[in-house]
Amino acid sequence: KDKNSPAYHNKAHDAMEGTWDLMDDVCEGTLAVRSQGRVYLPMEPAEDVREYEQRLRRALFFNATDRTLNALVGMVFRKEPKLSDDVPSPIAALWENIDNTGTHGAVFAKEAFASAMKYGHGLIYVDMPPPLGPGATLADERLANRRPYWVFYEADQIVNWRYESINGQSVLTLLVLEEESTEPDGLYGEEEVCRYRVLRPGSWQLYREIKSIGGKVEYVLEAEGVTPLSVIPVAPIYSRRTGDLTSTPFLLDRAMLNLTHYQKY
């Protein structure tokens, strides 16, 4: 690993990655678990390969884990969260479209909670479009819909971070978030693009992953900027915290039992 690359994944991230893959497969159900073959359904001693393949094709996975996850999320959100009466009206207005893509705050909260329950943690990042330029007024910003908004990142997207002790407090001084998107390619095609958002108190950078024909990977600085903030504007969410931005999936034990039942079945 290149420790000077924005794509560097720290050891804590890589240590948790296996549990996220397991939770993904288990929650997706039978087809995902079957596709992993011997990872979840080992061959028996002296078992013929053809017999194993037939057994694998017949194997059914009863998805108790995903059902439990949905039930827990439903219990927590059986009543829609609402803002208290003393919330300032400008903030209350943002709640109606919290992520600037039309998502209501209550829906955003439910989706964020479900992800944190599934993987162990996640985080909310408060972003803001860049300034309009010199001379822009508040009316200009409102017309351009320039406003703060929330972005949720799942646990596997939080690839690197650093905490430092400042004035006796543990402060997040570096955070790197991986972003994957699909963008147009040609008239009708599309390509998958990977970027890394590097956040520090008072500044941000956005790097794009570029793959050359020879297979070499480079990270090109696509945009950067400064902010008036002395902290990184993020709020971690945990279901089973083990440390700063580390966790264990809340239903990991249930998932393991679920796989044991699959193997016996």
Side-chain angles (χ1 to χ4, degrees):
K1 295 180 180 180
D2 184 359
K3 295 182 180 180
N4 295 314
S5 168
Y8 175 80
H9 292 190
N10 67 21
K11 294 180 179 179
H13 171 277
D14 291 349
M16 294 181 286
E17 199 166 18
T19 62
W20 300 331
D21 292 339
L22 187 148
M23 292 302 300
D24 274 333
D25 292 335
V26 168
C27 288
E28 286 181 24
T30 296
L31 295 181
V33 173
R34 278 184 188 169
S35 70
Q36 296 299 320
R38 302 180 191 182
V39 173
Y40 300 129
L41 190 66
M43 287 185 65
E44 299 293 346
E47 184 177 17
D48 182 78
V49 174
R50 290 173 297 178
E51 292 179 353
Y52 169 80
E53 291 175 350
Q54 291 178 2
R55 184 162 64 92
L56 179 64
R57 285 194 294 268
R58 291 195 304 265
L60 292 177
F61 181 79
F62 177 74
N63 205 336
T65 304
D66 192 55
R67 292 188 179 197
T68 304
L69 175 62
N70 291 331
L72 290 173
V73 174
M75 288 177 62
V76 172
F77 288 88
R78 63 187 182 276
K79 290 185 179 180
E80 183 177 293
K82 296 181 180 180
L83 300 179
S84 59
D85 295 335
D86 60 350
V87 173
S89 57
I91 296 180
L94 297 178
W95 185 251
E96 298 299 317
N97 178 15
I98 199 67
D99 62 353
N100 214 15
T101 62
T103 305
H104 190 275
V107 176
F108 186 100
K110 183 177 181 179
E111 292 174 351
F113 176 80
S115 177
M117 287 291 292
K118 180 177 179 181
Y119 299 114
H121 72 283
L123 66 78
I124 298 172
Y125 168 53
V126 182
D127 204 354
M128 182 86 170
L132 296 180
T137 65
L138 180 59
D140 295 331
E141 292 193 348
R142 288 176 176 173
L143 185 62
N145 196 30
R146 184 174 184 269
R147 40 149 290 189
Y149 59 92
W150 292 5
V151 185
F152 183 75
Y153 289 85
E154 294 190 327
D156 65 335
Q157 295 179 274
I158 311 167
V159 299
N160 195 11
W161 58 91
R162 183 179 299 159
Y163 281 86
E164 297 181 23
S165 179
I166 300 177
N167 296 327
Q169 291 186 332
S170 181
V171 178
L172 181 64
T173 58
L174 171 69
L175 181 66
V176 183
L177 304 170
E178 183 178 354
E179 302 174 353
E180 295 184 353
S181 61
T182 302
E183 299 181 359
D185 184 17
L187 290 177
Y188 308 106
E190 59 185 20
E191 66 171 337
E192 294 183 356
V193 178
C194 180
R195 292 183 174 88
Y196 291 90
R197 185 174 299 273
V198 180
L199 305 173
R200 293 182 175 89
S203 69
W204 61 272
Q205 296 171 311
L206 189 64
Y207 290 87
R208 177 170 177 154
E209 183 180 276
I210 303 294
K211 296 181 180 179
S212 62
I213 297 178
K216 184 179 179 180
V217 178
E218 296 180 341
Y219 299 95
V220 178
L221 181 62
E222 202 171 49
E224 61 180 338
V226 297
T227 75
L229 303 176
S230 60
V231 296
I232 300 174
V234 296
I237 303 172
Y238 299 95
S239 61
R240 184 175 285 174
R241 178 178 177 175
T242 57
D244 291 329
L245 294 178
T246 63
S247 65
T248 298
F250 188 78
L251 295 175
L252 181 60
D253 292 341
R254 167 56 67 93
M256 298 296 290
L257 286 172
N258 213 168
L259 287 171
T260 299
H261 175 267
Y262 166 73
Q263 294 163 357
K264 290 181 177 179
Y265 177 88

